[in-house]
Structure formats: structure tokens, C-alpha cells
Amino acid sequence: MKVDVLLGLQWGDEGKGKVVDVLTPNYDIVTRFQGGPNAGHTLEFNGEKYVLRSIPSGIFQGGKINIIGNGVVLDPLLFMTEAKELAQSGHDLTQRLYVSKKAHLILPTHRLLDKANEAAKGKAKIGTTGKGIGPTYTDKVSRNGLRVGDILDNFQAKYAAAKQRHLETISSLNLLAVAKGGEPVSTDGLEELEASWMEGIEYLKQFKFIDSEHVINNYIKAGKSVLCEGAQGSLLDVDFGSYPFVTSSNTICAGACTGLGVAPNKIGEVFGIFKAYCTRVGSGPFPTELFDETGAKIRAIGHEYGAVTGRERRCGWIDLVALRYTIMLNGVTQLIMMKSDVLDGFETVKACTAYKVNGELTREFPFSIEEGIEPQYVEMKGWNTDLSKCKSEDEFPQEFKDYIAFLEKELETPITILSVGPDRDQTILRKRG
Ligand code: GDP
Ligand code: IMO
Ligand code: MG
């Protein structure tokens, strides 16, 4: 049995949560393998709406087992809030949500460090979600982190030592921030935050802590099927994204191997998900960004505001140079196109097929996309039809069919699922072969 992976091909918020929920009935186990509560995965069905942050999106369909893998960073306080809200809506997860003992813990001081790092960068700040993601992964790589398994062994002493180290770093970052004319980060309120966080630690203990690499490999051996849910997007990958304006984990398919302990030869289908246009939250380069009323129109129709921070998402046309790159990095076998309905009312739609870099045309994603990139567009006739009501691809207008065919040709990969609205039911599985 193989492990399938679903991940974002752009800068996040492609609609991963919605499609993981749609695909869950085909699987026995759903897992998260990287990222943390910087994610906000939205699901809508039966008139209800949920936004998941650390909990996999496979919890709503048919009592499946969900696993938070070793590659994830977990904030027990935010986890408690999320799990309690779900329990109140009738979704008790204590018996079917497992947590890897090797997942790293986000401490209250990691959040402060995140803010202090940003302040010390001044104008060069990343625009992080402020959830302590970077500092937690930094502690992991510098071999200072605390893991879920540590909760069971002399935890208070380990916690106190980590906190002390963090407070010293925050003091020195504050000096840097002030030197740049910025605000120092205050530690006021840390004790209350700590008290709630410790409550979160106690709450977490109701869930099964597992050696997830063994558990998942045993499931695979027993013929069970696993779906891995990516967070963020490939253009935010720490190695291949628009560095340094990236997140701190490997968001690409290889991250599922390290983030779960699954060998590369166990990976089966790789579902690459993208919007019919492009968005980005936070700072960093975005070659096809639209600063005009077209960008504002996409934002308004697509409700492009962050699920976690409420920040405005920057909007632009679809970037096929970037998509070809992320399809290559991930070994995508099937594409999923989201939010096509947002472009319903446009006379024409554009797609960037190449970049002009210092006067030279290229179809390959360059080392830096910071400056001097002129996107080259192909303009196509819009479909001017309400796609959100379509139930099958036979109902698609010809212009939309042409757009799909154009994308498949450019991307050399089949588009097998199309989403035409936020609801679970507004999903069209295409006929294959
Ligand atoms: P994720 O982080 O990749 O799971 O995506 P988000 O949940 O952050 O952002 C996707 C947003 O688009 C959510 O508000 C979804 O409800 C919404 N959405 C998903 N698919 C569609 C679609 O096909 N059409 C429209 N109009 N909205 C969609
Ligand atoms: P989902 O899973 C969109 C962005 C932040 C910032 C950068 C680094 O919902 O697609 P971080 O807090 O990770 O250190 O921030 O990454 N970012 C996301 N953008 N969707 C996400 O998750 C994101 N998670 C982080 O805005 O630019
Ligand atoms: Mg999101």
C-alpha cells in the first residue's frame, strides 16, 4: 500500500483543507507532516464552517484515524482551543487523534521570540503569522527543542531551562530592534500565558502519544491507506521557496518522508493543489501580483483574507513558471484546481507562461525572483458563466474547458479535480482516461 500526499503548489491557502476532507472517505488514516498553527485550513459542509490549524482535515468523515506527525510543531494551548471547539460541535477526537512523541512543542516564549525576531529585522521582516514557528524549528535544528514525548519525563525542569534561554535571547533581540528604531517585545503577561499553556499540556495528555513512524509503517504493512496533508505551500518551502520569505519547514513532498518516517519508495499519488489565480500573505516577492483594480476584484470575490491572521492576501494572475517548478519538486501526479468560480465574471483571464529576466526569456524558475522579473502573459477569453452551480464537467462552458486544456498542456500534468465553491459538494471529480 502506498502513501498519498496532498500539498499546496503556490504560497499557501490553495484550499488543501477542503480537498483533504473530500478525499478522506478513500483513506484509512489522515496525517499532518509539517508546519503548525500557522496553517488555517477551511472546510465547509452541511452549512457548517470549520478552520483547522494543527488538527488534520480528515476528522469529519467516517471516524478515520488522524495523526499529527513528528515533523509538525505543536502549540498545546492553541491545540486545546481547537480540540475543545470541535468537541463542543460534537467531534470528540480523543480516541482517534494520535500525536507523535517526536513532534516539537511551541513554547509561549517561542511566540515572543517570533515577534522579537521580526522587530529586530525592521523593514526586512518576513511578515510571519506570529505563532512561534521559526523559533521552534530553530530550536529543533540547533538541538535545543522540547518534544511531546518530553512531557512524560521531568518536564518542568526542561521547560524552565528552555524558557530561561529564550528570555536571554529576547533581551538581546530587543536591543537590536530598539537600535533600528523599532519596539522592544514586552514579556508582560507571560505568566498568565504560561499558566494557560500548562493547562494545554495537561489537556494534551488525554490523547494517545505514539511512535508515529512505527504506527504509520505498520498500517502500511497491514494494507491500510494513508493520506498526508501538507500545510503552507511549496513556494514557502525553506529550501526551494522565495527565501528568506518562507516558512521554516520543508513543505514539499519530501517533507512527508522526514515528517512521518515514511520512505520515499512508499509515496504513491502526489496531489498538487493550486488556485486558478495566485495569492500570497506576508512579505516577499510575487512576480504576477496585481496592484490594480483587477487584484482588488479577485480579493473581494475570492474573500482573500487570511484564515489565521485576517490579513489581506495579495492577489495576482496564475504563474505557470512557478507551478512548473513546484510540480517538478514534488513529483506531482495529479493536479487539483481550486476557486475557478472566482474568475467567473472576468471578460478575459491571464496566465504567466514565462519570465523575462534582464531581457532574456525563461520558463525556468530563477534563483531570485526579487527584482527584474517581467511576467509574460497569455490572455484568454473568460467564461462568463456561474461555475459554482456546475455538478459535472459536461456542464462547463467551452471557454473554461479551453482554459483547463491550456493549463494541462503547459503543466504536462492532468487536472483531475476541480473546485467551484467552498462547500464539500462543490467539487468535481473529472473522468479519466
Ligand atoms: P488551505 O490553507 O489551503 O486549506 O486554504 P484556506 O482555507 O486558507 O483558504 C481557502 C479559502 O477558499 C477558504 O476560505 C475556502 O473556504 C475557500 N474555498 C476553497 N475552495 C473554493 C472554491 O473552489 N471556490 C471558492 N469560491 N472558495 C473556495
Ligand atoms: P496554510 O497551511 C499562507 C506565511 C506567512 C509568512 C511566512 C512565514 O493555511 O496554507 P511563519 O509564521 O510560517 O513563520 O510565516 O509564511 N504562511 C502562510 N501563508 N498560508 C499558510 O498556511 C501559511 N503559513 C505561513 O504569512 O509570509
Ligand atoms: Mg490557509
Side-chain angles (χ1 to χ4, degrees), residues 13-17 40-42 44 313 338-339 341 419-422:
D13 302 326
E14 296 90 349
K16 298 174 288 293
H41 294 183
T42 317
E44 291 190 34
R313 293 179 186 148
M338 310 298 289
K339 303 190 90 160
D341 55 298
S419 173
V420 293

Side-chain angles (χ1 to χ4, degrees), residues 177-189:
V178 171
K180 289 193 177 171
E183 285 288 315
V185 168
S186 162
T187 54
D188 290 353

Side-chain angles (χ1 to χ4, degrees), residues 6-8 12-20 38-44 49-52 57 229-232 273 275 277 279 301-308 313 337-342 388 418-423 426-427:
L6 183 146
L7 41 77
D13 302 326
E14 296 90 349
K16 298 174 288 293
K18 168 180 163 163
V19 180
V20 168
N38 46 349
H41 294 183
T42 317
L43 291 84
E44 291 190 34
K49 179 173 168 175
Y50 296 91
V51 180
L52 298 176
S57 302
E229 173 180 6
Q232 291 76 58
I273 182 164
K275 289 180 194 175
Y277 49 93
T279 64
I301 300 174
H303 304 291
E304 293 297 354
Y305 297 89
V308 173
R313 293 179 186 148
M337 181 156 73
M338 310 298 289
K339 303 190 90 160
S340 321
D341 55 298
V342 173
S388 69
L418 289 141
S419 173
V420 293
D423 195 88
Q426 291 170 302
T427 316

Side-chain angles (χ1 to χ4, degrees), residues 198-424:
M198 287 296 174
E199 242 181 77
I201 289 283
E202 286 308 311
Y203 181 84
L204 190 61
K205 287 181 183 167
Q206 304 168 66
F207 293 81
K208 207 161 158 191
F209 296 172
I210 59 166
D211 293 308
S212 54
E213 64 278 30
H214 288 297
V215 171
I216 292 171
N217 280 292
N218 286 338
Y219 278 136
I220 300 169
K221 245 189 198 164
K224 305 262 188 225
S225 52
V226 182
L227 177 63
C228 309
E229 173 180 6
Q232 291 76 58
S234 300
L235 296 171
L236 289 169
D237 180 89
V238 67
D239 278 280
F240 298 103
S242 47
Y243 193 88
F245 300 99
V246 293
T247 191
S248 297
S249 63
N250 279 117
T251 59
I252 58 169
C253 186
C257 296
T258 56
L260 295 171
V262 165
N265 63 358
K266 295 282 190 305
I267 303 292
E269 292 296 320
V270 181
F271 298 101
I273 182 164
F274 65 99
K275 289 180 194 175
Y277 49 93
C278 212
T279 64
R280 166 161 213 173
V281 224
S283 328
F286 178 0
T288 61
E289 182 166 10
L290 291 163
F291 299 94
D292 57 7
E293 57 196 34
T294 307
K297 186 172 165 189
I298 294 177
R299 184 177 309 113
I301 300 174
H303 304 291
E304 293 297 354
Y305 297 89
V308 173
T309 55
R311 288 180 293 177
E312 254 187 21
R313 293 179 186 148
R314 299 152 62 192
C315 297
W317 292 118
I318 195 166
D319 183 341
L320 304 181
V321 180
L323 277 179
R324 277 194 291 267
Y325 181 59
T326 53
I327 289 169
M328 172 188 83
L329 294 172
N330 290 300
V332 171
T333 58
Q334 299 186 40
L335 288 168
I336 303 175
M337 181 156 73
M338 310 298 289
K339 303 190 90 160
S340 321
D341 55 298
V342 173
L343 301 183
D344 281 354
F346 286 69
E347 281 307 314
T348 59
V349 294
K350 287 190 191 179
C352 163
T353 53
Y355 294 159
K356 201 178 246 184
V357 188
N358 301 323
E360 291 213 8
L361 272 187
T362 177
R363 283 164 62 88
E364 282 192 6
F365 199 72
F367 171 72
S368 167
I369 52 164
E370 289 280 336
E371 270 172 26
I373 305 272
E374 286 175 55
Q376 308 297 301
Y377 291 104
V378 168
E379 189 162 3
M380 281 158 288
K381 198 164 177 290
W383 39 93
N384 267 306
T385 309
D386 180 0
L387 289 181
S388 69
K389 305 272 187 312
C390 292
K391 294 283 175 215
S392 90
E393 63 178 311
D394 303 333
E395 294 168 42
F396 288 157
Q398 190 56 44
E399 290 84 355
F400 186 55
K401 287 183 183 164
D402 293 344
Y403 182 62
I404 296 170
F406 169 77
L407 293 180
E408 286 185 320
K409 186 158 171 275
E410 283 283 324
L411 301 172
E412 297 177 0
T413 316
I415 299 176
T416 56
I417 302 177
L418 289 141
S419 173
V420 293
D423 195 88
R424 187 190 272 169

